Amino acid sequence: LRRTMLNVDALAFPGSPSTAEPVTPESMYGPIPAARSPWSSRFTVPFDYIGWPTINMPCGLSEDGLPFSVQFGAHALEEPLLVGLGAAFQQSTEFHLAHPPGW
């Protein structure tokens, strides 16, 4: 990751390989389900592992109305850059205005 980011200020990549999971009382207060694949974190783990910041932004809804996300990652201590990227993304799209059915 450090080599990939050598001449790059930030990267954009999926926040998750699929939509968000439906919210249920069990998912909010219970343990992580055993059926959840460890691969579901594959886009977040590299930045988590080296301690570099990321920001996730909504980027659409599936046919079922569940949200997708895009994630921006940057070098250590570049949170101001990420906040600026997130603000610019939100100002140039309307994804943040979409809500799942029933909200």
Side-chain angles (χ1 to χ4, degrees):
L1 185 57
R2 290 178 198 274
R3 196 170 26 245
T4 298
M5 296 283 293
L6 198 57
N7 296 310
V8 177
D9 292 328
L11 288 177
F13 45 97
S16 174
S18 62
T19 61
E21 298 288 327
V23 176
T24 64
E26 295 80 18
S27 67
M28 290 174 52
Y29 303 109
I32 295 174
R36 182 176 158 199
S37 168
W39 282 102
S40 64
S41 302
R42 68 180 172 260
F43 297 116
T44 58
V45 168
F47 278 83
D48 293 343
Y49 183 72
I50 63 172
W52 286 4
T54 60
I55 187 170
N56 273 276
M57 305 295 295
C59 66
L61 298 175
S62 70
E63 291 178 7
D64 297 334
L66 295 172
F68 288 107
S69 66
V70 62
Q71 184 171 216
F72 299 101
H75 295 271
L77 304 176
E78 289 294 337
E79 288 85 351
L81 172 68
L82 290 177
V83 171
L85 279 171
F89 183 80
Q90 187 168 307
Q91 288 174 354
S92 62
T93 67
E94 295 186 359
F95 297 125
H96 62 285
L97 301 175
H99 294 284
W103 280 63

